[in-house]
Amino acid sequence: MAYKLKKDPIKKIPKGQFAFWIIVRITLIICATYSFINGDKVMGFESIFCFIFTHLWDMFQVFGNGSFIEDVPPFSQTMLNIIIFVGILFGSYFGFFDNFWWFDNFMHVLSGLVSACFGYDFAVIIQKKKGKCAATLAAIFSLMFALSIALGWEFYEFLMDSLHGTNLQLAHYGKETAMYDISKYNGEYGYLGLVDTMTDMMMNAIGGIIGMISMIILRNKKK
């Protein structure tokens, strides 16, 4: 079968969700522009990267070529956009990550939950041509998917810290670590960084478990 591109079927997107998508995309463009004007290339490129991610569903539809990827529901993109919007706008630009110790944990729990929900439906979509996907298989896949996303994010933080001198993993002294009592971490920022990374992974796991259980209930309840 010849590879064919198709038009973006935006009519399949619920109007309320589509309006939210547009708001998120415009916000990210403004954030990126603001960052580059003020010389913050890291946040500028991060905003652009997130802007691209707000188009994943559209890319699935346009480049899917009739494959299972086209069956991903628009709601999955909406959930991803919520994470991007809250994390970038409130977390990074409004300083929630620096000013509220709980916000980072909240975002990792939310990320794990959303990733697990997406992973569950994704497993069902992949399997459907071969028959009904067992709830157990979908649940395991959803949790592993959530943990994989968490691992990928920690890779990103490590690379940004190593290549661009950021302090996303809190491994060095800086404004990001001002709220911490370093004496509780053996007086070592390296140990604080380790605790931060492992806490992030555990928060994602908690969110993933919540999302997994929620999807088992929602997708398998009797009509």
Side-chain angles (χ1 to χ4, degrees), residues 50-70:
C50 288
F51 175 80
I52 295 172
F53 257 70
T54 65
H55 292 77
L56 274 183
W57 184 86
D58 306 78
M59 290 187 282
F60 290 165
Q61 301 301 310
V62 173
F63 301 106
N65 197 36
S67 67
F68 64 86
I69 201 72
E70 293 182 5

Side-chain angles (χ1 to χ4, degrees), residues 8-162:
D8 190 348
I10 59 176
K11 292 182 179 180
K12 294 171 59 177
I13 309 170
K15 292 182 179 179
Q17 294 185 46
F18 184 65
F20 176 64
W21 293 15
I22 298 302
I23 291 173
V24 174
R25 291 168 181 175
I26 292 175
T27 300
L28 289 172
I29 292 174
I30 294 173
C31 289
T33 303
Y34 173 83
S35 295
F36 284 123
I37 290 176
N38 288 276
D40 190 348
K41 293 183 179 180
V42 173
M43 282 308 306
F45 283 115
E46 184 172 316
S47 298
I48 291 176
F49 182 74
C50 288
F51 175 80
I52 295 172
F53 257 70
T54 65
H55 292 77
L56 274 183
W57 184 86
D58 306 78
M59 290 187 282
F60 290 165
Q61 301 301 310
V62 173
F63 301 106
N65 197 36
S67 67
F68 64 86
I69 201 72
E70 293 182 5
D71 293 329
V72 172
F75 186 64
S76 294
Q77 180 69 68
T78 300
M79 292 192 295
L80 176 60
N81 287 354
I82 290 174
I83 294 178
I84 291 174
F85 184 76
V86 175
I88 292 294
L89 184 62
F90 292 94
S92 297
Y93 284 93
F94 289 167
F96 277 35
F97 282 120
D98 295 332
N99 298 320
F100 301 102
W101 66 266
W102 52 265
F103 188 77
D104 185 56
N105 291 338
F106 166 75
M107 286 302 301
H108 279 282
V109 171
L110 181 62
S111 174
L113 189 154
V114 171
S115 297
C117 291
F118 176 84
Y120 191 100
D121 281 341
F122 198 51
V124 173
I125 291 170
I126 295 174
Q127 184 68 19
K128 74 174 187 178
K129 288 187 177 180
K130 297 182 179 180
K132 185 178 179 180
C133 181
T136 303
L137 176 61
I140 294 174
F141 182 88
S142 70
L143 182 57
M144 293 301 103
F145 185 83
L147 293 176
S148 296
I149 295 297
L151 180 63
W153 180 257
E154 295 304 322
F155 282 175
Y156 163 77
E157 287 191 344
F158 176 78
L159 290 173
M160 291 299 290
D161 288 354
S162 301

